[in-house]
Amino acid sequence: MTLADLERRQVLSLGEVEAAADAAALEQLRIKYLGRHGEVPAIIKGMKDVPQNERPEFGKSVQAWRAALEAAMVARAGAFAGEAKSDAEAFDCTLPGRWPQPGAKHPVSRVIEETAAIFARLGFIVADGPDIETRFNNFTALNTPAHHPSMDASDTLWLNDDLLLRTQTSPVQIRMMTRHMPPVRIITPGRTYRRDTTDATHSANFHQIEGLYVDTRPVSLADLKSTLAYYASAMMGAKAGVRFRPHFFPFTEPSVEVDFSCHVCGGKGCRVCKMSGWIEIAGAGMVDPRVYEHVNSARGDRAYDPDSVYGYAFGFGVERIAMIKYGIPDIRWLYENDTRFLSQLA
Ligand code: PHE
């Protein structure tokens, strides 16, 4: 290698350092030129082949090259550090902006809150009860005979002989009446549990809203019907109506099933209401005198004397209302927390 070769290499290497794009590229150059097997040490090792008379000058040139390389690398590295620190220079105005992603209330919560607001206008307050209930509150006081199939372990999730996960919000009726004198006017939203296999319309854990109105002045089935008619129109649209069909529940007498007129076709008949014009919504009825007697025995008085108190109760599924109101075909969508679904209802 001649002095002229050396000079060419020096110019080339300094140019490469100047052009290094980032710290990694710079490190590659350090290895290439100054590393243990790099060019500079190799040239120093090969100096024995340089003619004797050229050797001192050649040696000085190599040392100068190495010093220049090291200095250039330090300078280039400093430039990178400076760039990283400078926010103004790092800002890339071509990047898309960051959009806030506000959450939305879950449909189940919306139905509960809207329902509470509608019944508040009629003087109902919201009452609460625990998910774990006693046999007495969930079944016995609700006039459910011991042999009733709903008490079976295949339908109800029992925790022990006496405690269970409540199968309905109706036990809150008992809790309210045993603790409060009439009149009682409550709605009570909450979770309920049944030993159901999950499919498009069933879930082992769902929500109900119960209503109870008991007073010492006459309360009739007509009051129940007008109250639910008001709820139907407030919730599903002004034109919505209700109809009662005879039914049976152990804790109401008479008992009815409540249909809302179909909000999609207005009662003419369509696929949503299976051509009937009506959609089944709730169970309801006048509180059975035997329920008052169970309440009295739990209270130890006769505050709920069946001869002088009158009342009605109703109960419906929250998910069912949400599915009908928002056109949701599968109950499971309500529990999957998929924001692609939930954000459509925002
Ligand atoms: N608890 C009943 C059910 O879960 C509904 C109901 C409530 C019926 C109140 C009558 C009165 O099916």
Side-chain angles (χ1 to χ4, degrees):
M1 176 170 294
T2 65
L3 267 172
D5 290 335
L6 195 61
E7 228 161 79
R8 259 201 303 282
R9 297 221 151 170
Q10 182 167 333
V11 170
L12 189 77
S13 66
L14 290 173
E16 281 177 322
V17 170
E18 196 52 46
D22 53 27
L26 197 59
E27 175 61 9
Q28 286 306 310
L29 291 171
R30 192 193 62 74
I31 292 165
K32 176 178 173 188
Y33 288 107
L34 303 174
R36 215 144 52 87
H37 304 292
E39 255 179 51
V40 173
I43 287 168
I44 289 169
K45 232 189 257 166
M47 267 183 35
K48 56 183 182 315
D49 300 330
V50 173
Q52 187 90 56
N53 59 337
E54 284 179 19
R55 222 177 274 168
E57 209 187 330
F58 193 92
K60 260 191 238 156
S61 293
V62 176
Q63 294 306 342
W65 179 24
R66 175 156 58 191
L69 257 180
E70 281 170 355
M73 285 182 179
V74 168
R76 193 76 190 117
F80 293 146
E83 269 170 28
K85 270 189 221 122
S86 159
D87 275 355
E89 273 176 77
F91 177 72
D92 181 352
C93 65
T94 65
L95 285 172
R98 290 195 188 111
W99 293 88
Q101 297 194 346
K105 217 157 250 173
H106 192 279
V108 167
S109 303
R110 275 167 65 170
V111 168
I112 289 173
E113 287 176 18
E114 277 178 44
T115 300
I118 292 165
F119 279 100
R121 287 179 227 147
L122 300 174
F124 286 75
I125 58 162
V126 173
D128 204 6
D131 291 12
I132 295 176
E133 264 298 359
T134 59
R135 176 191 291 267
F136 180 79
N137 286 337
N138 195 87
F139 289 126
T140 314
L142 289 165
N143 194 36
T144 311
H147 59 265
H148 196 277
S150 64
M151 275 206 228
D152 203 276
S154 62
D155 283 329
T156 295
L157 295 154
W158 288 91
L159 303 177
N160 59 31
D161 280 351
D162 186 47
L163 296 176
L164 49 85
L165 293 175
R166 67 178 178 187
T167 60
Q168 50 191 354
T169 42
S170 304
V172 186
Q173 294 184 30
I174 307 302
R175 288 179 172 270
M176 282 306 289
M177 288 190 280
T178 48
R179 284 172 182 71
H180 298 276
M181 294 294 287
V184 163
R185 197 178 345 221
I186 54 149
I187 63 157
T188 162
R191 284 176 196 276
T192 50
Y193 304 80
R194 287 184 194 177
R195 204 158 167 176
D196 274 332
T197 303
T198 301
D199 63 21
T201 54
H202 293 86
S203 166
N205 171 209
F206 59 104
H207 298 75
Q208 284 190 338
I209 297 177
E210 189 89 4
L212 174 71
Y213 174 39
V214 180
D215 210 334
T216 48
R217 59 186 181 80
V219 176
S220 73
L221 204 65
D223 296 320
L224 170 62
K225 193 166 184 183
S226 63
T227 301
L228 291 177
Y230 176 71
Y231 175 62
S233 60
M235 195 68 183
M236 307 307 276
K239 290 204 187 93
V242 292
R243 78 172 179 187
F244 282 2
R245 281 179 292 111
H247 199 70
F248 173 81
F249 294 103
F251 40 91
T252 45
E253 181 58 34
S255 299
V256 293
E257 272 197 320
V258 184
D259 297 339
F260 284 6
S261 59
C262 179
H263 62 298
V264 174
C265 62
K268 284 192 206 77
C270 68
R271 265 175 34 205
V272 172
C273 58
K274 300 195 189 94
M275 302 314 290
S276 74
W278 297 94
I279 298 176
E280 187 188 317
I281 295 286
M286 303 308 293
V287 178
D288 192 300
R290 292 194 200 179
V291 173
Y292 295 134
E293 291 299 2
H294 281 295
V295 166
N296 287 334
S297 67
R299 293 174 57 97
D301 63 17
R302 299 216 37 90
Y304 287 83
D305 182 348
D307 290 332
S308 56
V309 296
Y310 308 82
Y312 63 70
F314 57 86
F316 53 84
V318 177
E319 282 82 349
R320 191 163 162 73
I321 299 267
M323 289 167 77
I324 291 163
K325 181 162 176 166
Y326 303 117
I328 301 164
D330 192 321
I331 196 171
R332 289 167 291 199
W333 294 8
L334 291 168
Y335 309 120
E336 281 168 356
N337 278 342
D338 186 334
T339 53
R340 290 171 303 176
F341 160 65
L342 292 172
S343 64
Q344 293 176 46
L345 303 169

